[in-house]
Amino acid sequence: MTNSYAPDAGTLMDIFRRMALLKGNDERSRKLLATGRVVAPYYSYRGQEVIPSSVSAALRDDDYICTIYRGIHDMLAKGMPLKQLWAEVAGREDGTCKGKGGPMHLTYPAKGIMVTTGIVGSSMPIANGLAWGSQLDGNDRVTVAYFGDGASNIGAFHEALNLAAVWKLPVVFVCQNNRYGEHTAYATATSAKRIADRAVGYDIPGVRVDGNDPHAMYAAAAEAIARARGGEGPTLIEAMTFRFHGHVMGDADGYMDKAEKQAAIAADPYPRFRAQLIADNVADEATLAKIEADVEAAIDEAVEFALASPFPSTDELRRDVFADDSIVPEESFA
Amino acid sequence: MTNSYAPDAGTLMDIFRRMALLKGNDERSRKLLATGRVVAPYYSYRGQEVIPSSVSAALRDDDYICTIYRGIHDMLAKGMPLKQLWAEVAGREDGTCKGKGGPMHLTYPAKGIMVTTGIVGSSMPIANGLAWGSQLDGNDRVTVAYFGDGASNIGAFHEALNLAAVWKLPVVFVCQNNRYGEHTAYATATSAKRIADRAVGYDIPGVRVDGNDPHAMYAAAAEAIARARGGEGPTLIEAMTFRFHGHVMGDADGYMDKAEKQAAIAADPYPRFRAQLIADNVADEATLAKIEADVEAAIDEAVEFALASPFPSTDELRRDVFADDSIVPEESFA
Amino acid sequence: MTDAATQTRPQAEKTAQITIVEALNRAFVDAMEADEKVLLLGEDVADPEDGGVVGISKGLSTRFGNHRVRSTPIAEQAIVGAAIGASLIGYRPVAEIMLMNFSTVAMDMIVNHAAKLRFMSGGQTGVPITIRMMTGSGIASGGQHSDYLEAWFSHVAGLKVVAPSTPEDAYGLLRACIDDPDPCIFIENLLLYGSKGPAPQAGHKVEIGKAAIRREGSDLTIVSYSRLAVEAQAAAARLAEDGISAEVIDLRSIQPWDKEAVLASVAKTGRLLVVHEATKPFGAGAEIAATVNHELFGRLKAPVHRLGGAFCAVPFSRPLETAFAPDAARIVDAAKSLCA
Amino acid sequence: MTDAATQTRPQAEKTAQITIVEALNRAFVDAMEADEKVLLLGEDVADPEDGGVVGISKGLSTRFGNHRVRSTPIAEQAIVGAAIGASLIGYRPVAEIMLMNFSTVAMDMIVNHAAKLRFMSGGQTGVPITIRMMTGSGIASGGQHSDYLEAWFSHVAGLKVVAPSTPEDAYGLLRACIDDPDPCIFIENLLLYGSKGPAPQAGHKVEIGKAAIRREGSDLTIVSYSRLAVEAQAAAARLAEDGISAEVIDLRSIQPWDKEAVLASVAKTGRLLVVHEATKPFGAGAEIAATVNHELFGRLKAPVHRLGGAFCAVPFSRPLETAFAPDAARIVDAAKSLCA
Ligand SMILES: Cc1ncc(C[n+]2csc(CCOP(=O)(O)OP(=O)(O)O)c2C)c(N)n1
Ligand SMILES: Cc1ncc(C[n+]2csc(CCOP(=O)(O)OP(=O)(O)O)c2C)c(N)n1
Ligand SMILES: [Mg+2]
Ligand SMILES: [Mg+2]
């Protein structure tokens, strides 16, 4: 990593703004879901905000991402509108997917959010196809595939990285290494000392970076994105982070190492970055507080919008199965 | 590789004996299949004899192997009896599998030949299970998984190596890198500079070795097998070799680089090793010629046995589907 | 149907009531006690990982050791492959593939290998493994976590497929699958995990391929399995109020399925309704309908009717998800049309 | 069935005869000429790799460039994933999975993703890909290279499934699949590759979901597809000699299948025999049988009969492999029993 990819003040503020939105949204999600007013499986990303905030600060609006069930942070950072997001999480007609996909399959092509998958590893092979399309289009769009540390052990990871390398695709593989895959700790499942080491097997750059440090994370992402945009092929980034909550809301997380968890929470990247921005004179308290207040207001509005949106009609069961709705066999519903 | 695993004279003769059998059998197979007297898909292994001959010289009879469609050399080297082999290739009742599996699914547990698969990559995950069983049994059996260079790009390879590494399984992954996967040359499909490099991603030893040199091949195999037997876990061996014929008998191999192929055939490891044994005074011409003549006689006998063996009865369609033949639904045959 | 007796006995006779999760856990304990060759592997299954995401394997690794109960990487091909390999040399591994949709990454191991090795080896090897998979719509987990794929597995020669709906059957079928010399697909429904029923006796086994008659009746036969067998029973109770006497058969095993029991029942009632959560086209119900039509040609009082899930991915939004799967109300409606 | 006319016209009317391999190659040439968004990827498909293992894509990479026609690593998840991704942004990739059994390593991509992304995204995205797969018993390639899995794909909402048996249909269906906005599974039979038939007109398309009546008849209807549709025609010719008039329907599309054509035919003949190479239990024939029984209840002269491959892995040994799949002789026998 050279310094030429160090974020400037404007970029740092851009990252902060995204982080504030992500953190606020996670907190609200957990709060609201706890009330039962919205029923959905929820995979908290609290603690991992720096990664997509920094990556997205280095991406263009017309770049693509593919992400996973634990990916609302990735999507919000890429520009998914809050209202439609919340409407989808609440299963409403105004959701991005009319309520049909739900939080695990949020999609929003207008901002390049192309696929959200619930199958471990599957974001990567599809990301390659988007990148192949961009390569053919001759535009210089980049695709980011997000995935977890656990996903680095599944076949799709390997097949995707190899193909991307052989075809020199403009894709960046961003592994959010939060040290757990469901209840299983890193070393129980993963043989590699560092996931970044696996890049050697594909003859592509592999970088392990502190995914909780916006400076380092941004630099790593910006460099990889520049390589991809410049036709130099894929990069594997292993972004070290930590999942503050259990795998899925409701899980007791008894399997997590208590000390490790406490230490991670004590080192929460959000207040750390916030304090640093002030210390470095990038922003003052009032500016940051204003950003946070705006986030809260926007979330208020989005939640209200979502809960006011009607549920979809059951006719939707027959729609979008095929492009032509009339093909769906009538009698399947008899 | 230390010298402590160098083959002694007896081992070299052991390797030669296996190589002579393998080479003789491949030549006969191509000859006989060309006559149409036996009809079967045939994947010639000519040129790759050193690898399983050396590996098997370092294995025990009760060790296990899993191999692939291009694996008759692996099986013969491990001790599969010629007669039953030929009977299976000819689809006869006396074949190892009563003619039901055919050359792509030859199986012979009595010599540890547990699975032959036609699905690229699938020898490896199953080899892990055999190795897990041996680990649980507390005996020190080793399992070898054979596969090709092309197979190193499929998901199963990755999943299997990772699991073997995490569980420290007594398994040796032997990649026979013959530079082609069907019609596709190594670099068109494989991003790694060397497949052995992929071992880094699993934190296990990865060795590239001249798979056409019995000294080097034996040493690499013996060391890996000793590690596995000693409870130190898996090794990935990339054995460099070359496939003298097309992918499958009948293929025109127009996609192969002519010069590369000619050079490989000119460097045929069989006559080279044979000459070296004489030059090094390990054996004299007469001894080696006798071995070769015996091989021919044994193959004559096996082919005769196979062609005299009856075809299986069509009742076999209902047998071995389940352990209890009576479960097979009668009416499926109506 | 000697079994019908035990299955229809009043629950009051039994005092202890346990859940399906408890029944499965007990089946594991008893099977692992009885046979040291029984192994368990899958994501999160060992105790350091909380004994499985719904706790089915809680306590097992502590009791039987980490060598026999192993949490794995997220790598279903590796999981099933390891189970197959160990089974070839005498072990009886039970592999967990968490959700049924994840079997799609392991179909090669299951279909090309587990199902076929016995046949292709001419009987030299066998694959006595059990593969557990959970599934089911109704908990808002959407299109990639809820599918029923029993028809796929049932179409593969060499596999057995079961889907219990009660704690007793969960116990008895799991024990039977573990003991079985062939690969078994064991389907669990997420919504049923907490449902209670009489505790099975230790060692209880349910023969694979034997259905249970949950309720006797004379006007029509309702055939189902897994969660919808419970809905079918609720429907039958409502139908009884309207004077329609429905016989309810819980198949329990889908491959092989109990043709004898189904044909006997339909020969009696003259009407058949088959109900499953998988979508109707090319679903398991088609096989049952086709077979019954063939065997009882000319003896049916009404066309065999099938009910299945909607022809779409399982939707997320609550009202859509509710409308997706057949329920007691839809079963009642279909039964009434059949009997009209 | 306007199509029936074209399908049953005497071959003499056409002069040029081409093989299915040639027809598929032409379909690619014409589709790639017509639409620059059409791509091709798979193992060995480009010219440096000989244009595919049976030469179907010969010349395409030379003509249309290595960027549009790409040989891939042996990595079916990566192949289908790349096709899906490119299709989301306007491309129309055709992925080759060589043999149908290899689809088992890519089922997640096909079933959880290709089939469902349109629905799960609420219609925001679509996956206009075609996945070609070859298969079929009869060339001694054994248990892992010969399976017909059309029933699996047909059971998945969101996929279309076709299986041509003539050069014209191979051309016309491939063009239709490539143009189709949804993911299509295109099944090719290995034994039919060299069989000749009238050359299709450039631009000829066969509507997905439309069957062809290959022969008209009045005593029974034989429904089949892929290679066994050819066997069915041979059987019908022999039956005619024995005074039995069989109508032969080549479904061509299995999902959706042409219910209208089949029901019209069976309404006329009163008897139905469904024939496919996949094993009978839980096969595609069950859906057809169940539907016909339902729709024509009380109007059939005999029970609907199904013929399928033996219930086992495809065996290697020649006499076993020959006995494995239904052939004209077995179709004749079954038809005679039906009409007896
Ligand atoms: C193929 C597959 N297997 C298993 C699962 C169940 N599952 C969902 S999330 C998860 C853990 C993934 O861990 P990781 O990749 O580290 O991502 P994280 O959840 O930590 O963000 C598992 C096993 C799945 N969704 N897909
Ligand atoms: C999953 C899968 N995909 C594709 C094939 C078709 N196929 C058979 S052999 C082969 C090439 C394998 O190459 P390699 O691994 O290098 O082994 P080699 O044949 O050279 O020994 C391919 C693509 C297959 N058998 N399985
Ligand atoms: Mg993780
Ligand atoms: Mg090779």
Side-chain angles (χ1 to χ4, degrees):
Chain A
M1 288 301 120
T2 67
N3 265 338
S4 63
Y5 295 105
D8 59 18
T11 304
L12 289 171
M13 283 307 293
D14 179 3
I15 295 173
F16 179 79
R17 249 176 243 111
R18 297 179 206 248
M19 283 175 61
L21 172 64
L22 273 47
K23 172 170 172 283
N25 192 71
D26 180 81
E27 285 169 348
R28 183 70 63 90
S29 300
R30 283 180 289 115
K31 207 179 293 169
L32 195 71
L33 285 153
T35 66
R37 286 178 69 203
V38 170
V39 177
Y42 185 69
Y43 304 87
S44 170
Y45 51 80
R46 195 57 262 288
Q48 304 183 195
E49 293 89 345
V50 170
I51 300 168
S53 299
S54 306
V55 170
S56 286
L59 287 174
R60 294 195 317 231
D61 236 42
D62 66 352
D63 289 328
Y64 300 119
I65 69 168
C66 292
T67 186
I68 62 172
Y69 52 91
R70 193 186 318 284
I72 290 182
H73 56 327
D74 304 329
M75 300 179 239
L76 280 174
K78 186 68 174 62
M80 177 167 278
L82 262 181
K83 285 181 180 176
Q84 282 119 295
L85 168 75
W86 270 98
E88 188 63 30
V89 172
R92 307 306 169 102
E93 189 179 277
D94 294 305
T96 52
C97 311
K98 305 192 237 166
K100 297 163 86 166
M104 238 190 287
H105 305 298
L106 284 154
T107 310
Y108 197 69
K111 291 285 183 178
I113 301 158
M114 302 305 292
V115 172
T116 302
T117 181
I119 309 293
V120 166
S122 295
S123 60
M124 293 174 268
I126 300 177
N128 278 345
L130 293 160
W132 181 27
S134 300
Q135 197 181 56
L136 289 165
D137 283 340
N139 62 33
D140 58 356
R141 289 186 187 180
V142 168
T143 300
V144 171
Y146 289 109
F147 58 101
D149 49 303
S152 79
N153 299 318
I154 203 163
F157 164 91
H158 179 66
E159 295 192 11
L161 267 75
N162 182 60
L163 187 79
V166 172
W167 289 9
K168 271 202 166 221
L169 295 175
V171 58
V172 181
F173 297 100
V174 178
C175 177
Q176 306 193 20
N177 184 345
N178 60 14
R179 330 258 180 103
Y180 285 87
E182 291 208 340
H183 304 180
T184 300
Y186 179 86
T188 305
T190 314
S191 54
K193 288 213 186 78
R194 308 167 350 137
I195 289 169
D197 290 345
R198 293 187 165 161
V200 174
Y202 314 106
D203 198 22
I204 60 171
V207 203
R208 178 183 265 199
V209 63
D210 181 350
N212 288 350
D213 173 357
H215 294 264
M217 188 65 226
Y218 178 82
E223 179 166 0
I225 291 164
R227 284 191 74 245
R229 231 186 268 301
E232 293 170 71
T235 301
L236 170 61
I237 296 178
E238 178 185 17
M240 302 306 296
T241 185
F242 201 82
R243 192 188 73 188
F244 285 4
H245 299 282
H247 168 64
V248 64
M249 209 174 137
D251 111 25
D253 75 16
Y255 51 84
M256 288 175 93
D257 184 288
K258 297 285 162 295
E260 187 190 23
K261 184 172 163 181
Q262 281 322 312
I265 292 175
D268 188 340
Y270 184 83
R272 226 191 328 150
F273 183 45
R274 193 182 192 285
Q276 205 188 328
L277 287 177
I278 296 172
D280 292 350
N281 278 320
V282 176
D284 57 16
E285 168 62 30
T287 309
L288 302 186
K290 170 76 167 63
I291 290 172
E292 291 162 332
D294 288 350
V295 160
E296 289 306 312
I299 298 173
D300 286 345
E301 206 187 332
V303 170
E304 204 174 320
F305 171 84
L307 295 180
S309 171
F311 282 103
S313 139
T314 55
D315 291 347
E316 287 295 339
L317 291 173
R318 299 157 192 255
R319 295 203 188 115
D320 307 319
V321 176
F322 297 112
D324 175 355
D325 294 335
S326 75
I327 295 172
V328 176
E330 260 317 300
E331 67 280 13
S332 315
F333 297 87
Chain B
M1 288 299 121
T2 66
N3 264 338
S4 63
Y5 294 105
D8 58 20
T11 304
L12 289 172
M13 284 306 293
D14 180 4
I15 296 173
F16 179 79
R17 249 177 243 110
R18 296 179 207 248
M19 282 174 61
L21 173 64
L22 272 47
K23 173 171 171 286
N25 192 71
D26 180 81
E27 285 168 350
R28 183 70 62 91
S29 300
R30 283 180 288 113
K31 208 178 295 172
L32 196 72
L33 285 153
T35 68
R37 285 179 68 204
V38 170
V39 177
Y42 185 70
Y43 304 87
S44 170
Y45 51 80
R46 193 62 258 287
Q48 304 184 195
E49 293 90 345
V50 170
I51 301 168
S53 298
S54 305
V55 170
S56 284
L59 286 174
R60 294 196 316 233
D61 236 41
D62 67 351
D63 289 328
Y64 300 119
I65 68 166
C66 292
T67 187
I68 61 171
Y69 51 91
R70 191 186 319 285
I72 290 182
H73 57 327
D74 305 329
M75 299 180 241
L76 280 175
K78 186 67 175 62
M80 177 167 279
L82 263 182
K83 286 183 179 175
Q84 282 118 296
L85 168 76
W86 270 99
E88 188 63 30
V89 172
R92 308 305 170 105
E93 189 178 278
D94 294 305
T96 53
C97 311
K98 304 191 238 169
K100 297 163 85 166
M104 239 190 288
H105 305 298
L106 284 154
T107 310
Y108 197 70
K111 292 283 183 181
I113 301 159
M114 302 305 291
V115 173
T116 301
T117 181
I119 308 294
V120 166
S122 294
S123 60
M124 294 174 267
I126 299 177
N128 279 345
L130 293 160
W132 181 27
S134 301
Q135 198 182 55
L136 288 164
D137 283 340
N139 63 32
D140 58 356
R141 290 187 188 181
V142 169
T143 301
V144 171
Y146 289 109
F147 58 101
D149 49 303
S152 79
N153 298 317
I154 203 163
F157 164 91
H158 179 66
E159 295 191 11
L161 267 74
N162 183 60
L163 187 80
V166 172
W167 288 9
K168 272 202 165 221
L169 295 176
V171 59
V172 181
F173 297 100
V174 178
C175 176
Q176 306 193 20
N177 184 346
N178 60 13
R179 330 254 182 106
Y180 284 88
E182 291 208 343
H183 304 182
T184 300
Y186 179 86
T188 305
T190 314
S191 55
K193 288 213 187 76
R194 309 169 348 137
I195 290 168
D197 290 345
R198 292 188 166 160
V200 175
Y202 314 106
D203 198 21
I204 60 171
V207 203
R208 178 183 266 199
V209 63
D210 181 351
N212 287 350
D213 173 357
H215 294 264
M217 188 65 226
Y218 178 82
E223 179 168 359
I225 291 164
R227 285 192 74 245
R229 232 186 268 301
E232 292 169 71
T235 301
L236 170 61
I237 297 178
E238 178 186 14
M240 302 307 295
T241 186
F242 201 82
R243 194 186 75 188
F244 285 4
H245 300 280
H247 168 66
V248 64
M249 210 174 137
D251 111 24
D253 75 13
Y255 51 85
M256 288 177 92
D257 184 288
K258 297 286 161 294
E260 188 189 20
K261 186 173 162 181
Q262 280 322 313
I265 291 174
D268 188 339
Y270 184 83
R272 225 187 336 146
F273 184 45
R274 191 180 192 287
Q276 205 188 329
L277 287 177
I278 296 173
D280 292 351
N281 278 319
V282 176
D284 57 18
E285 168 63 31
T287 309
L288 303 187
K290 169 79 166 63
I291 291 172
E292 291 163 333
D294 288 351
V295 160
E296 289 306 312
I299 298 173
D300 287 343
E301 205 186 334
V303 170
E304 203 174 323
F305 171 83
L307 295 180
S309 171
F311 283 103
S313 137
T314 54
D315 290 350
E316 287 296 339
L317 292 174
R318 299 157 192 256
R319 295 203 188 114
D320 307 318
V321 177
F322 296 112
D324 176 357
D325 294 335
S326 74
I327 294 171
V328 177
E330 259 318 302
E331 67 279 13
S332 314
F333 297 89
Chain C
M1 293 309 304
T2 49
D3 220 47
T6 42
Q7 292 302 322
T8 52
R9 76 190 152 203
Q11 297 210 348
E13 274 180 28
K14 289 261 169 155
T15 43
Q17 297 268 320
I18 64 168
T19 65
I20 288 187
V21 167
E22 288 162 341
L24 292 171
N25 186 269
R26 283 194 198 179
F28 273 121
V29 169
D30 294 351
M32 296 188 81
E33 282 283 355
D35 182 354
E36 62 175 21
K37 294 291 189 183
V38 177
L39 309 175
L40 178 54
L41 76 165
E43 292 151 21
D44 300 330
V45 300
D47 286 331
E49 292 76 37
D50 261 9
V53 286
V54 294
I56 286 166
S57 47
K58 251 199 182 39
L60 300 177
S61 72
T62 304
R63 182 157 174 179
F64 299 103
N66 274 309
H67 54 297
R68 288 179 67 194
V69 180
R70 289 205 185 172
S71 288
T72 64
I74 307 167
E76 282 78 4
Q77 294 189 68
I79 293 169
V80 181
I84 293 171
S87 79
L88 293 174
I89 52 173
Y91 286 90
R92 295 190 170 264
V94 183
E96 172 173 319
I97 295 203
M98 211 175 284
L99 292 173
M100 195 156 199
N101 280 84
F102 311 157
S103 70
T104 51
V105 297
M107 289 304 280
D108 166 54
M109 282 294 142
I110 301 172
V111 170
N112 290 329
H113 295 90
K116 295 179 177 175
L117 289 181
R118 181 185 296 282
F119 185 86
M120 297 195 309
S121 73
Q124 293 178 96
T125 56
V127 183
I129 67 174
T130 301
I131 308 179
R132 291 179 42 236
M133 307 172 185
M134 345 180 165
T135 197
S137 66
I139 57 166
S141 49
Q144 293 179 334
H145 281 59
S146 318
D147 283 340
Y148 268 90
L149 305 173
E150 69 280 10
W152 289 6
F153 295 109
S154 300
H155 187 43
V156 176
L159 298 178
K160 293 172 183 165
V161 183
V162 306
S165 74
T166 70
E168 258 186 320
D169 285 353
Y171 180 99
L173 281 171
L174 185 54
R175 294 294 310 267
C177 288
I178 291 172
D179 282 0
D180 197 88
D182 294 306
C184 298
I185 307 293
F186 191 93
I187 304 172
E188 301 166 19
N189 179 281
L190 287 156
L191 296 185
L192 289 182
Y193 274 140
S195 71
K196 293 202 167 184
Q201 311 232 312
H204 170 66
K205 278 174 204 157
V206 173
E207 190 184 335
I208 297 171
K210 277 272 171 274
I213 297 180
R214 299 294 182 199
R215 180 187 185 109
E216 296 194 5
S218 52
D219 293 329
L220 88 158
T221 303
I222 306 178
V223 168
S224 192
Y225 48 85
S226 195
R227 185 174 69 82
L228 295 196
V230 178
E231 290 290 313
Q233 290 167 72
R238 289 194 220 164
L239 286 164
E241 290 167 19
D242 290 334
I244 294 177
S245 164
E247 181 144 310
V248 178
I249 298 185
D250 181 349
L251 278 189
R252 306 194 290 193
S253 295
I254 303 155
Q255 176 63 279
W257 59 281
D258 196 338
K259 292 192 188 75
E260 214 181 304
V262 172
L263 291 173
S265 175
V266 183
K268 176 178 75 175
T269 63
R271 297 183 185 88
L272 172 61
L273 174 62
V274 191
V275 186
H276 53 55
E277 191 167 318
T279 196
K280 186 167 85 176
F282 302 87
E287 177 64 29
I288 296 162
T291 302
V292 169
N293 274 304
H294 188 267
E295 299 303 313
L296 299 178
F297 183 75
R299 294 164 62 193
L300 297 173
K301 297 176 187 150
V304 176
H305 198 79
R306 295 177 282 155
L307 281 181
F311 188 74
C312 60
V314 177
F316 167 71
S317 181
R318 176 51 51 100
L320 300 191
E321 194 184 21
T322 304
F324 170 84
D327 57 7
R330 278 179 59 200
I331 297 171
V332 165
D333 288 349
K336 285 186 179 169
S337 316
L338 260 183
C339 296
Chain D
M1 292 312 301
T2 49
D3 220 49
T6 42
Q7 293 301 322
T8 51
R9 75 189 151 202
Q11 297 210 346
E13 276 181 28
K14 289 261 171 161
T15 43
Q17 296 268 320
I18 65 169
T19 65
I20 288 188
V21 168
E22 288 163 340
L24 292 171
N25 185 270
R26 284 194 198 181
F28 273 122
V29 169
D30 294 351
M32 296 188 81
E33 282 283 355
D35 182 354
E36 62 173 21
K37 295 292 188 183
V38 176
L39 309 175
L40 178 53
L41 76 166
E43 292 150 20
D44 300 330
V45 299
D47 286 330
E49 291 75 38
D50 262 8
V53 287
V54 292
I56 286 166
S57 46
K58 250 200 183 41
L60 300 177
S61 72
T62 303
R63 181 156 175 179
F64 298 104
N66 273 309
H67 54 297
R68 287 178 69 192
V69 180
R70 289 205 184 173
S71 288
T72 64
I74 307 168
E76 283 78 4
Q77 292 189 69
I79 293 169
V80 181
I84 293 171
S87 80
L88 293 174
I89 53 173
Y91 286 91
R92 294 190 170 265
V94 182
E96 172 173 320
I97 295 201
M98 211 175 285
L99 291 173
M100 195 157 200
N101 279 85
F102 312 156
S103 70
T104 52
V105 298
M107 289 304 279
D108 167 53
M109 281 294 142
I110 301 173
V111 170
N112 290 329
H113 294 90
K116 294 178 176 176
L117 289 182
R118 180 185 297 282
F119 185 85
M120 298 195 307
S121 72
Q124 293 179 96
T125 56
V127 183
I129 66 174
T130 300
I131 308 179
R132 291 179 42 236
M133 307 172 184
M134 345 180 166
T135 197
S137 66
I139 56 166
S141 50
Q144 293 179 333
H145 281 60
S146 319
D147 283 341
Y148 268 90
L149 304 173
E150 70 279 10
W152 290 6
F153 295 108
S154 300
H155 187 44
V156 177
L159 297 178
K160 293 172 185 167
V161 183
V162 306
S165 74
T166 69
E168 258 185 320
D169 284 354
Y171 180 99
L173 281 170
L174 185 53
R175 295 294 311 265
C177 288
I178 291 173
D179 281 1
D180 198 87
D182 293 306
C184 297
I185 307 294
F186 190 94
I187 304 172
E188 301 166 18
N189 179 282
L190 286 156
L191 296 186
L192 289 183
Y193 274 140
S195 71
K196 292 202 169 184
Q201 311 231 311
H204 170 67
K205 278 174 203 160
V206 173
E207 191 183 333
I208 297 172
K210 279 273 171 273
I213 298 180
R214 298 293 182 201
R215 180 187 184 107
E216 296 194 7
S218 53
D219 292 330
L220 89 156
T221 303
I222 307 177
V223 168
S224 192
Y225 48 85
S226 196
R227 186 174 69 82
L228 295 196
V230 178
E231 290 290 314
Q233 290 168 71
R238 291 196 218 164
L239 286 165
E241 291 168 17
D242 291 334
I244 295 177
S245 164
E247 179 143 313
V248 178
I249 298 185
D250 181 350
L251 277 188
R252 308 195 288 193
S253 295
I254 303 155
Q255 177 61 281
W257 59 282
D258 195 337
K259 293 193 187 72
E260 214 181 304
V262 172
L263 292 173
S265 173
V266 183
K268 177 179 75 176
T269 63
R271 296 184 185 87
L272 172 61
L273 174 62
V274 191
V275 186
H276 53 56
E277 190 167 320
T279 195
K280 186 166 86 175
F282 301 88
E287 177 64 30
I288 296 162
T291 302
V292 169
N293 274 304
H294 189 267
E295 299 303 313
L296 299 180
F297 184 75
R299 294 164 62 192
L300 297 172
K301 298 176 187 151
V304 176
H305 198 78
R306 295 178 281 154
L307 282 181
F311 189 74
C312 60
V314 177
F316 167 71
S317 181
R318 175 53 51 101
L320 300 191
E321 194 185 21
T322 304
F324 171 83
D327 58 6
R330 279 179 59 201
I331 296 171
V332 165
D333 289 348
K336 285 187 180 168
S337 316
L338 260 184
C339 295

